[in-house]
Short mmCIF file of all heavy atoms in Angstrom, two decimals:
data_model
loop_
_atom_site.label_atom_id
_atom_site.label_comp_id
_atom_site.label_asym_id
_atom_site.label_seq_id
_atom_site.Cartn_x
_atom_site.Cartn_y
_atom_site.Cartn_z
N PHE A 35 34.64 25.89 82.48
CA PHE A 35 33.36 25.23 82.31
C PHE A 35 32.19 26.23 82.42
O PHE A 35 31.26 26.23 81.63
CB PHE A 35 33.28 24.06 83.28
CG PHE A 35 31.97 23.33 83.16
CD1 PHE A 35 31.76 22.48 82.13
CD2 PHE A 35 30.99 23.47 84.14
CE1 PHE A 35 30.60 21.73 81.95
CE2 PHE A 35 29.78 22.72 84.00
CZ PHE A 35 29.56 21.85 82.92
N SER A 36 32.29 27.01 83.48
CA SER A 36 31.22 28.05 83.70
C SER A 36 31.08 29.02 82.57
O SER A 36 29.99 29.36 82.18
CB SER A 36 31.47 28.71 85.06
OG SER A 36 31.51 27.90 86.13
N ILE A 37 32.23 29.49 82.07
CA ILE A 37 32.25 30.49 80.99
C ILE A 37 31.66 29.82 79.75
O ILE A 37 30.98 30.46 78.97
CB ILE A 37 33.72 30.98 80.75
CG1 ILE A 37 34.12 31.87 81.93
CG2 ILE A 37 33.74 31.81 79.47
CD1 ILE A 37 35.59 32.23 81.86
N SER A 38 31.97 28.55 79.51
CA SER A 38 31.43 27.85 78.36
C SER A 38 29.95 27.77 78.38
O SER A 38 29.28 28.00 77.42
CB SER A 38 32.07 26.44 78.30
OG SER A 38 33.47 26.51 78.15
N ILE A 39 29.45 27.43 79.63
CA ILE A 39 28.02 27.35 79.76
C ILE A 39 27.35 28.69 79.55
O ILE A 39 26.31 28.80 78.84
CB ILE A 39 27.63 26.78 81.17
CG1 ILE A 39 28.09 25.36 81.33
CG2 ILE A 39 26.12 26.96 81.46
CD1 ILE A 39 27.84 24.75 82.72
N LEU A 40 27.95 29.77 80.10
CA LEU A 40 27.39 31.07 79.98
C LEU A 40 27.39 31.50 78.50
O LEU A 40 26.46 32.19 78.00
CB LEU A 40 28.20 32.07 80.81
CG LEU A 40 28.04 32.02 82.30
CD1 LEU A 40 29.03 32.92 83.04
CD2 LEU A 40 26.60 32.37 82.71
N PHE A 41 28.50 31.12 77.76
CA PHE A 41 28.62 31.45 76.40
C PHE A 41 27.50 30.79 75.59
O PHE A 41 26.85 31.36 74.72
CB PHE A 41 29.99 31.05 75.82
CG PHE A 41 30.15 31.31 74.37
CD1 PHE A 41 30.36 32.62 73.91
CD2 PHE A 41 30.01 30.28 73.48
CE1 PHE A 41 30.51 32.87 72.55
CE2 PHE A 41 30.13 30.55 72.13
CZ PHE A 41 30.40 31.78 71.64
N VAL A 42 27.30 29.51 75.87
CA VAL A 42 26.29 28.75 75.20
C VAL A 42 24.92 29.31 75.44
O VAL A 42 24.09 29.48 74.49
CB VAL A 42 26.26 27.23 75.59
CG1 VAL A 42 25.04 26.49 75.09
CG2 VAL A 42 27.55 26.55 75.09
N LYS A 43 24.65 29.67 76.72
CA LYS A 43 23.33 30.24 77.08
C LYS A 43 23.16 31.56 76.46
O LYS A 43 22.07 31.95 75.99
CB LYS A 43 23.27 30.39 78.60
CG LYS A 43 23.00 29.06 79.31
CD LYS A 43 22.74 29.21 80.79
CE LYS A 43 22.41 27.94 81.44
NZ LYS A 43 22.16 28.08 82.93
N TYR A 44 24.22 32.37 76.36
CA TYR A 44 24.17 33.65 75.79
C TYR A 44 23.89 33.51 74.25
O TYR A 44 23.02 34.20 73.73
CB TYR A 44 25.54 34.42 75.89
CG TYR A 44 25.58 35.66 75.04
CD1 TYR A 44 24.94 36.79 75.38
CD2 TYR A 44 26.36 35.62 73.89
CE1 TYR A 44 25.03 37.92 74.59
CE2 TYR A 44 26.42 36.78 72.99
CZ TYR A 44 25.75 37.92 73.43
OH TYR A 44 25.84 39.03 72.57
N TYR A 45 24.51 32.58 73.59
CA TYR A 45 24.30 32.30 72.18
C TYR A 45 22.84 31.87 71.94
O TYR A 45 22.16 32.35 71.05
CB TYR A 45 25.23 31.25 71.71
CG TYR A 45 25.09 30.88 70.23
CD1 TYR A 45 25.59 31.76 69.23
CD2 TYR A 45 24.38 29.79 69.87
CE1 TYR A 45 25.40 31.40 67.84
CE2 TYR A 45 24.17 29.44 68.52
CZ TYR A 45 24.71 30.28 67.55
OH TYR A 45 24.50 30.00 66.20
N GLU A 46 22.39 30.95 72.79
CA GLU A 46 21.02 30.46 72.65
C GLU A 46 19.98 31.60 72.88
O GLU A 46 18.98 31.75 72.17
CB GLU A 46 20.75 29.31 73.65
CG GLU A 46 21.46 27.98 73.33
CD GLU A 46 20.94 27.44 72.00
OE1 GLU A 46 19.72 27.56 71.73
OE2 GLU A 46 21.74 26.85 71.20
N ARG A 47 20.28 32.39 73.92
CA ARG A 47 19.35 33.51 74.23
C ARG A 47 19.37 34.50 73.04
O ARG A 47 18.31 34.99 72.65
CB ARG A 47 19.78 34.23 75.54
CG ARG A 47 18.84 35.27 76.01
CD ARG A 47 19.20 35.73 77.38
NE ARG A 47 18.27 36.77 77.82
CZ ARG A 47 18.46 38.06 77.65
NH1 ARG A 47 19.60 38.47 77.05
NH2 ARG A 47 17.66 38.96 78.12
N ARG A 48 20.53 34.81 72.56
CA ARG A 48 20.63 35.71 71.44
C ARG A 48 19.90 35.18 70.22
O ARG A 48 19.14 35.85 69.51
CB ARG A 48 22.14 35.96 71.06
CG ARG A 48 22.29 36.96 69.93
CD ARG A 48 23.72 36.96 69.50
NE ARG A 48 23.87 37.70 68.22
CZ ARG A 48 24.95 37.58 67.45
NH1 ARG A 48 25.95 36.84 67.82
NH2 ARG A 48 25.02 38.25 66.34
N LYS A 49 20.06 33.89 69.99
CA LYS A 49 19.44 33.17 68.84
C LYS A 49 17.97 33.27 68.99
O LYS A 49 17.25 33.55 68.05
CB LYS A 49 19.94 31.70 68.76
CG LYS A 49 19.32 30.94 67.62
CD LYS A 49 20.04 29.62 67.47
CE LYS A 49 19.84 28.77 68.79
NZ LYS A 49 20.49 27.41 68.65
N ASN A 50 17.44 32.95 70.26
CA ASN A 50 16.00 33.01 70.43
C ASN A 50 15.44 34.40 70.34
O ASN A 50 14.32 34.56 69.84
CB ASN A 50 15.69 32.42 71.82
CG ASN A 50 15.90 30.93 71.83
OD1 ASN A 50 15.73 30.22 70.86
ND2 ASN A 50 16.19 30.41 73.01
N LEU A 51 16.25 35.39 70.77
CA LEU A 51 15.79 36.75 70.67
C LEU A 51 15.73 37.18 69.17
O LEU A 51 14.82 37.92 68.75
CB LEU A 51 16.77 37.76 71.41
CG LEU A 51 16.62 37.65 72.96
CD1 LEU A 51 17.75 38.53 73.54
CD2 LEU A 51 15.26 38.20 73.40
N GLU A 52 16.74 36.72 68.44
CA GLU A 52 16.75 37.02 66.99
C GLU A 52 15.55 36.37 66.28
O GLU A 52 14.86 36.98 65.47
CB GLU A 52 18.02 36.46 66.42
CG GLU A 52 19.25 37.18 66.81
CD GLU A 52 19.48 38.53 66.09
OE1 GLU A 52 18.84 38.71 65.06
OE2 GLU A 52 20.24 39.35 66.55
N LEU A 53 15.27 35.07 66.68
CA LEU A 53 14.18 34.38 66.06
C LEU A 53 12.81 34.90 66.47
O LEU A 53 11.81 34.76 65.72
CB LEU A 53 14.25 32.92 66.36
CG LEU A 53 15.37 32.11 65.71
CD1 LEU A 53 15.28 30.67 66.03
CD2 LEU A 53 15.45 32.31 64.19
N ALA A 54 12.73 35.56 67.60
CA ALA A 54 11.49 36.08 68.11
C ALA A 54 10.93 37.17 67.11
O ALA A 54 9.72 37.41 67.03
CB ALA A 54 11.70 36.75 69.47
N THR A 55 11.77 37.76 66.37
CA THR A 55 11.38 38.78 65.36
C THR A 55 10.81 38.12 64.10
O THR A 55 10.36 38.80 63.24
CB THR A 55 12.55 39.70 64.92
OG1 THR A 55 13.60 38.94 64.36
CG2 THR A 55 13.12 40.39 66.23
N CYS A 56 10.94 36.81 64.00
CA CYS A 56 10.48 36.08 62.80
C CYS A 56 9.00 35.63 62.89
O CYS A 56 8.55 34.78 62.09
CB CYS A 56 11.38 34.86 62.54
SG CYS A 56 13.05 35.26 62.09
N ASN A 57 8.30 36.12 63.96
CA ASN A 57 6.92 35.76 64.14
C ASN A 57 6.69 34.22 64.22
O ASN A 57 5.83 33.69 63.58
CB ASN A 57 6.09 36.37 62.93
CG ASN A 57 4.58 36.32 63.26
OD1 ASN A 57 4.16 36.28 64.42
ND2 ASN A 57 3.77 36.36 62.20
N ILE A 58 7.58 33.58 65.00
CA ILE A 58 7.44 32.12 65.13
C ILE A 58 6.52 31.76 66.27
O ILE A 58 6.31 32.56 67.14
CB ILE A 58 8.83 31.49 65.36
CG1 ILE A 58 9.45 32.03 66.64
CG2 ILE A 58 9.75 31.72 64.20
CD1 ILE A 58 10.74 31.30 67.05
N ASN A 59 6.03 30.56 66.26
CA ASN A 59 5.08 30.11 67.32
C ASN A 59 5.79 29.66 68.58
O ASN A 59 5.27 29.76 69.67
CB ASN A 59 4.21 29.00 66.76
CG ASN A 59 3.25 29.54 65.74
OD1 ASN A 59 2.64 30.57 65.86
ND2 ASN A 59 3.08 28.74 64.62
#
Side-chain angles (χ1 to χ4, degrees):
F35 181 71
S36 300
I37 291 171
S38 299
I39 291 177
L40 288 173
F41 177 78
V42 170
K43 286 186 175 180
Y44 169 77
Y45 178 79
E46 288 295 325
R47 185 168 180 271
R48 180 188 167 197
K49 180 171 61 179
N50 289 330
L51 287 173
E52 291 282 343
L53 291 185
T55 64
C56 294
N57 194 22
I58 61 173
N59 292 317

